[in-house]
Coordinates of all heavy atoms in Angstrom, one line a residue:
S32 N -110.7 132.0 -26.5 CA -109.8 132.7 -25.7 C -110.4 134.0 -25.1 O -110.1 134.3 -24.0 CB -108.5 133.1 -26.6 OG -108.9 134.0 -27.6
L33 N -111.3 134.6 -25.9 CA -112.0 135.8 -25.3 C -112.9 135.4 -24.2 O -113.0 136.1 -23.2 CB -112.8 136.5 -26.4 CG -111.9 137.3 -27.4 CD1 -112.9 138.0 -28.5 CD2 -111.1 138.4 -26.7
A34 N -113.6 134.3 -24.4 CA -114.5 133.8 -23.3 C -113.8 133.4 -22.1 O -114.2 133.7 -21.0 CB -115.4 132.7 -23.8
G35 N -112.6 132.8 -22.2 CA -111.8 132.4 -21.1 C -111.3 133.5 -20.3 O -111.0 133.4 -19.1
C36 N -111.1 134.7 -20.9 CA -110.5 135.8 -20.2 C -111.5 136.7 -19.6 O -111.2 137.7 -19.0 CB -109.7 136.7 -21.2 SG -108.2 135.8 -21.8
A37 N -112.8 136.4 -19.7 CA -113.9 137.3 -19.2 C -114.2 137.1 -17.8 O -115.0 137.8 -17.2 CB -115.2 137.0 -20.0
G38 N -113.5 136.2 -17.1 CA -113.9 135.9 -15.7 C -113.1 136.7 -14.7 O -113.3 136.4 -13.5
G39 N -112.4 137.6 -15.0 CA -111.6 138.4 -14.0 C -110.2 138.0 -14.0 O -109.6 137.5 -14.9
D40 N -109.5 138.3 -12.9 CA -108.1 138.1 -12.7 C -107.9 136.6 -12.7 O -108.7 135.8 -12.2 CB -107.6 138.7 -11.4 CG -107.6 140.2 -11.5 OD1 -107.6 140.7 -12.6 OD2 -107.5 140.8 -10.4
L41 N -106.7 136.2 -13.2 CA -106.3 134.8 -13.2 C -105.8 134.4 -11.8 O -105.1 135.2 -11.2 CB -105.2 134.5 -14.2 CG -105.6 134.7 -15.7 CD1 -104.4 134.5 -16.6 CD2 -106.7 133.8 -16.1
T42 N -106.1 133.2 -11.4 CA -105.5 132.6 -10.2 C -104.1 132.2 -10.4 O -103.7 132.1 -11.6 CB -106.4 131.5 -9.6 OG1 -106.3 130.4 -10.6 CG2 -107.8 131.8 -9.5
T43 N -103.4 131.9 -9.4 CA -102.0 131.4 -9.5 C -102.0 130.1 -10.2 O -101.1 129.9 -11.0 CB -101.4 131.3 -8.1 OG1 -101.5 132.5 -7.4 CG2 -99.9 130.9 -8.2
R44 N -103.0 129.3 -10.0 CA -103.0 128.0 -10.7 C -103.2 128.2 -12.2 O -102.6 127.5 -13.0 CB -104.2 127.1 -10.1 CG -104.3 125.8 -10.8 CD -105.4 125.0 -10.2 NE -105.3 123.6 -10.8 CZ -106.2 122.7 -10.7 NH1 -107.3 123.0 -10.0 NH2 -106.1 121.5 -11.2
E45 N -104.1 129.1 -12.6 CA -104.4 129.4 -14.0 C -103.1 130.0 -14.7 O -102.8 129.6 -15.8 CB -105.6 130.3 -14.1 CG -106.9 129.6 -13.7 CD -108.0 130.6 -13.6 OE1 -107.8 131.8 -13.4 OE2 -109.2 130.2 -13.6
K46 N -102.4 130.9 -14.0 CA -101.2 131.4 -14.5 C -100.2 130.3 -14.7 O -99.5 130.3 -15.8 CB -100.6 132.5 -13.6 CG -101.5 133.8 -13.5 CD -100.9 134.7 -12.5 CE -101.8 135.9 -12.3 NZ -101.3 136.8 -11.2
G47 N -100.0 129.4 -13.8 CA -99.1 128.4 -13.9 C -99.4 127.4 -15.0 O -98.5 127.0 -15.8
A48 N -100.7 127.2 -15.2 CA -101.1 126.3 -16.3 C -100.9 127.0 -17.6 O -100.4 126.3 -18.6 CB -102.6 126.0 -16.2
G49 N -101.1 128.2 -17.7 CA -100.9 129.0 -19.0 C -99.4 129.0 -19.4 O -99.0 128.7 -20.5
I50 N -98.6 129.3 -18.4 CA -97.1 129.3 -18.6 C -96.6 127.9 -19.0 O -95.8 127.8 -19.9 CB -96.4 129.9 -17.4 CG1 -96.7 131.4 -17.2 CG2 -94.9 129.7 -17.5 CD1 -96.3 131.9 -15.9
G51 N -97.1 126.9 -18.3 CA -96.7 125.6 -18.6 C -97.1 125.1 -20.0 O -96.4 124.5 -20.7
A52 N -98.3 125.5 -20.4 CA -98.8 125.1 -21.7 C -98.0 125.8 -22.8 O -97.6 125.1 -23.8 CB -100.3 125.5 -21.9
V53 N -97.7 127.0 -22.7 CA -96.9 127.7 -23.7 C -95.5 127.2 -23.7 O -95.0 126.9 -24.8 CB -96.9 129.3 -23.4 CG1 -95.9 130.0 -24.3 CG2 -98.3 129.8 -23.6
G54 N -94.9 127.0 -22.6 CA -93.5 126.5 -22.5 C -93.5 125.1 -23.1 O -92.6 124.7 -23.8
G55 N -94.5 124.2 -22.7 CA -94.5 122.9 -23.2 C -94.7 122.8 -24.7 O -94.1 122.0 -25.4
A56 N -95.6 123.7 -25.2 CA -95.8 123.7 -26.6 C -94.6 124.1 -27.4 O -94.2 123.5 -28.5 CB -97.0 124.6 -27.0
A57 N -93.9 125.1 -26.9 CA -92.6 125.5 -27.5 C -91.6 124.4 -27.5 O -91.0 124.1 -28.5 CB -92.1 126.8 -26.8
A58 N -91.4 123.8 -26.4 CA -90.4 122.7 -26.3 C -90.8 121.5 -27.1 O -90.0 120.9 -27.8 CB -90.2 122.3 -24.8
G59 N -92.1 121.2 -27.1 CA -92.6 120.1 -27.9 C -92.5 120.4 -29.4 O -92.2 119.5 -30.2
G60 N -92.7 121.6 -29.8 CA -92.5 122.0 -31.2 C -91.1 121.8 -31.6 O -90.9 121.3 -32.8
V61 N -90.2 122.2 -30.8 CA -88.8 122.0 -31.1 C -88.4 120.6 -31.3 O -87.7 120.1 -32.2 CB -87.9 122.8 -30.1 CG1 -86.4 122.4 -30.3 CG2 -88.1 124.3 -30.2
V62 N -88.8 119.8 -30.3 CA -88.5 118.4 -30.3 C -89.2 117.7 -31.5 O -88.6 116.9 -32.2 CB -88.9 117.7 -29.0 CG1 -88.8 116.2 -29.1 CG2 -88.1 118.2 -27.8

């Protein structure tokens, strides 16, 4: 996670992927 954050600002695609992963993990955990 530290190495992944070292590249500068996140692109819109990376932000969308992160939000989707967290939301999907939360929903999948509940299900």
Side-chain angles (χ1 to χ4, degrees):
S32 67
L33 286 179
C36 294
D40 292 340
L41 295 176
T42 65
T43 303
R44 181 179 188 192
E45 293 167 340
K46 290 176 187 176
I50 291 169
V53 171
V61 169
V62 171

